[in-house]
Amino acid sequence: MHRFARWPRRLGASLPGLLRPPGRADVRHRFGLERTLHDGAVADMSALALELGMISATVGDTHVEERIAAAQDRLTGILEDLRHVGTVIYPPVLATAGLGPGLLAVAEHRGLRILLDLPRTELSAEARSRTGLLVADHFHTLRPGSVVRVRVRGRRIVRVTITDREPGTRERREHRAVLRCA
């Protein structure tokens, strides 16, 4: 008997080496969350930071100017945190740059060394977004300096293999996922 045969079917996606790809609804939801965050809170806070700068320029009291400058610094830190959260939810570069350049940008931002092996033909929009999120999510589990190889094959049935080695280890780990895309 196979050693995993007694595992319930719903646990199969959590077996070591198997990645759970995001579904179509997950992709739409995460993209919507990132857009709402970016177009709402981040845009409003950026406008507030500019307004504080204009108010600071008209104030003659150095104590008030210092307090405004401190508030601007805190606001800038909060904005950076919100932008980071947005890129984890759905990296905007995946939507704008395409799968290859998007994954390279996410890997560079995370401090990963990456080798991409992508199909020669363009994937559908659904396949690009679901595959991109799957791989980007995995990148967020790795330590900076990790070496990663990503191989993507197929068009309607997309097979993804990610091999990684974290710094300070010799062990290579292999992760796989299969996505059915329209």
Side-chain angles (χ1 to χ4, degrees):
M1 180 175 188
H2 192 272
R3 66 184 181 134
F4 296 120
R6 63 183 177 274
W7 282 37
R9 205 177 260 273
R10 70 182 187 286
L11 294 178
S14 64
L15 292 174
L18 295 180
L19 298 172
R20 182 179 175 270
R24 293 173 185 94
D26 296 332
V27 171
R28 284 191 304 274
H29 179 69
R30 287 174 61 175
F31 182 74
L33 284 174
E34 190 279 328
R35 288 285 88 204
T36 299
L37 185 63
H38 181 270
D39 295 344
V42 171
D44 290 346
M45 292 178 85
S46 296
L48 180 59
L50 288 173
E51 189 173 340
L52 283 173
M54 291 188 302
I55 292 170
S56 177
T58 62
V59 172
D61 185 345
T62 56
H63 179 67
V64 173
E65 286 177 9
E66 289 171 358
R67 290 181 64 197
I68 290 174
Q72 280 182 300
D73 287 344
R74 283 198 338 256
L75 189 57
T76 301
I78 293 168
L79 276 169
E80 288 305 312
D81 290 345
L82 285 175
R83 286 187 179 112
H84 176 72
V85 168
T87 61
V88 171
I89 292 171
Y90 191 104
V93 71
L94 289 178
T96 58
L99 184 61
L103 290 176
L104 288 171
V106 172
E108 180 181 329
H109 179 74
R110 297 280 308 148
L112 306 174
R113 297 187 324 190
I114 184 172
L115 173 65
L116 290 177
D117 183 3
L118 303 176
R120 293 175 195 257
T121 58
E122 187 69 25
L123 296 173
S124 68
E126 177 192 343
R128 279 192 317 269
S129 60
R130 289 180 66 203
T131 302
L133 272 181
L134 171 80
V135 176
D137 285 350
H138 184 71
F139 286 175
H140 287 288
T141 69
L142 301 173
R143 293 193 325 242
S146 295
V147 178
V148 185
R149 180 174 185 261
V150 177
R151 185 170 193 249
V152 178
R153 289 293 178 263
R155 292 179 54 94
R156 293 188 58 201
I157 304 293
V158 179
R159 296 169 313 282
V160 179
T161 305
I162 304 171
T163 307
D164 62 58
R165 184 175 50 84
E166 292 191 302
T169 66
R170 292 188 176 268
E171 176 188 352
R172 288 185 184 172
R173 299 177 308 171
E174 188 170 279
H175 310 274
R176 296 177 181 270
V178 177
L179 300 86
R180 187 181 338 181
C181 303

